Amino acid sequence: MNHLTARLARIGAATSSPVAYSFVTMVIVFFMLPAANGYDVSTYNLYSAMQIFGTYGLIALALGITMIAAQFDLSTLGMFVLGGLVAVKVGGDSPSLGVIAALGVGALAGLIQGLIVAKLSINSMSVTLGGFLVLLGLSRAIGNDATVSYDNFDVGISLDSKFAVVMSWHSVIVLLCFLFVGLAMAWTTVGRNLKAVGGDARASRVSGVGVTRVIVGVFVLSGLLSGLAGALNAFSLAAALANPGFAPLVFGATSALIGGVGLAGGRGTVTGIALGAVALSLLQAMFGILASPSWVTSVVTGGLLVLVATAAAPRLAAIVARLAARHRRRYVESAVA
């Protein structure tokens, strides 16, 4: 019973953290700011926010889990593009076959990169940047450097059909992926080992943790999630985009940081990443309600990313702690005097 209680306490910790407060703040802003400007917020706007979450949420999860392991998978963007293209090319008559093909390509790409990073102890940024370029090049070659249409429109219609007021099958699938990964991290040794490796890989290896296995597994999972995200997005749009820009990568990194994932690794939860992704989706949907220019979204999202990254800096925390200690010391000295 005590063991179960401890696990539930760890799962619930995210709901009482600054991540949860930030999420609640974003929900309030989502409803209040448009109302203050004379716009009505409807259930369709919430549905739009969840569709944004459905499009980019798995990229946030993929980046988040690699960041917890003190890695960073830049190739998620390339896999997002290639996964959509493979799903459209292979899944013409069978969408499920297209998804399986996208998952297979994602797992293979993640396996290769993970083995290179883990076995050769190479910085993941350089390896996955190369992986991104390779995957993007393959996508351009397979798709002849153009958007590839998908003629099975019924798949996208079914994926994006609204039910339960603000949900679609697209967003539900993404939520189920978060749930599955979250349960695996909370109820198995996976989560503990992942954070241990992210916190100190050398100490983890000494204590018997399979560091290589953890790192390779993280990259395989990242490839699977990114490939699935690309496949679902391509089916929804009835087309595989040749160049989605950097929006998926920016969304994923910002969501992970808002969700409390540490830049240095070893810190973060799937619940936090989900809350960060939904919060950022609400922000983008709010700009849609306000009919804001696209540059406003870019400026605010970029500023938010810098703000969150700065707030998470260890040196800043140390400075704040020293200032707080100095303030307490002066208060005690004045009280004694």
Side-chain angles (χ1 to χ4, degrees):
M1 181 62 71
N2 291 336
H3 184 62
L4 176 61
T5 303
R7 285 186 177 273
L8 291 176
R10 286 198 296 269
I11 296 171
T15 62
S16 60
S17 68
V19 175
Y21 300 141
S22 299
F23 174 75
V24 172
T25 300
M26 188 60 67
V27 171
I28 294 172
V29 170
F30 175 78
F31 285 100
M32 297 298 293
L33 190 57
N37 286 273
Y39 294 94
D40 293 326
V41 178
S42 65
T43 55
Y44 178 78
N45 300 127
L46 288 171
Y47 166 80
S48 298
M50 291 307 299
Q51 286 297 95
I52 296 172
F53 171 78
T55 301
Y56 300 133
L58 292 181
I59 299 296
L61 181 56
L63 282 172
I65 58 172
T66 58
M67 290 168 67
I68 293 172
Q71 309 293 329
F72 196 88
D73 190 2
L74 286 169
S75 70
T76 52
L77 182 57
M79 195 60 245
F80 180 76
V81 177
L82 184 58
L85 183 63
V86 168
V88 165
K89 287 281 191 178
V90 177
D93 297 323
S94 175
S96 58
L97 184 61
V99 170
I100 292 172
L103 290 173
V105 172
L108 179 61
L111 177 63
I112 294 172
Q113 293 180 112
L115 285 172
I116 294 173
V117 171
K119 292 291 187 179
L120 302 180
S121 299
I122 302 176
N123 183 277
S124 61
M125 292 281 284
S126 57
V127 173
T128 57
L129 176 59
F132 161 68
L133 294 174
V134 169
L135 293 171
L136 194 62
L138 288 174
S139 301
R140 296 178 66 179
I142 296 172
N144 295 319
D145 221 359
T147 297
V148 179
S149 61
Y150 183 64
D151 296 330
N152 195 345
F153 300 108
D154 291 338
V155 177
I157 293 172
S158 299
L159 269 178
D160 296 329
S161 295
K162 190 195 309 186
F163 71 93
V165 184
V166 299
M167 303 296 293
S168 70
W169 281 113
H170 193 161
S171 55
V172 167
I173 291 171
V174 173
L175 283 172
L176 288 175
C177 289
F178 270 90
L179 179 62
F180 177 79
V181 176
L183 289 175
M185 288 188 64
W187 295 91
T188 69
T189 59
V190 172
R192 185 177 67 250
N193 291 342
L194 186 63
K195 291 183 178 181
V197 171
D200 192 331
R202 182 176 300 179
S204 298
R205 184 175 283 109
V206 171
S207 64
V209 176
V211 175
T212 298
R213 184 171 62 251
V214 170
I215 293 176
V216 172
V218 160
F219 278 100
V220 169
L221 181 57
S222 177
L224 287 169
L225 294 171
S226 302
L228 179 58
L232 293 175
N233 186 56
F235 288 155
S236 289
L237 297 176
L241 300 179
N243 183 17
F246 287 97
L249 191 63
V250 173
F251 183 98
T254 307
S255 298
L257 290 172
I258 294 175
V261 177
L263 288 169
R267 181 167 61 87
T269 65
V270 172
T271 302
I273 298 170
L275 290 176
V278 173
L280 193 56
S281 299
L282 289 172
L283 180 67
Q284 294 191 3
M286 183 189 70
F287 286 131
I289 298 171
L290 297 173
S292 303
S294 58
W295 63 264
V296 174
T297 305
S298 297
V299 169
V300 174
T301 304
L304 185 61
L305 178 57
V306 172
L307 179 63
V308 173
T310 303
R315 187 168 183 179
L316 179 62
I319 293 173
V320 172
R322 283 200 303 270
L323 291 174
R326 186 181 303 172
H327 176 74
R328 286 195 300 270
R329 186 167 58 251
R330 288 178 178 175
Y331 176 78
V332 172
E333 290 174 351
S334 62
V336 172

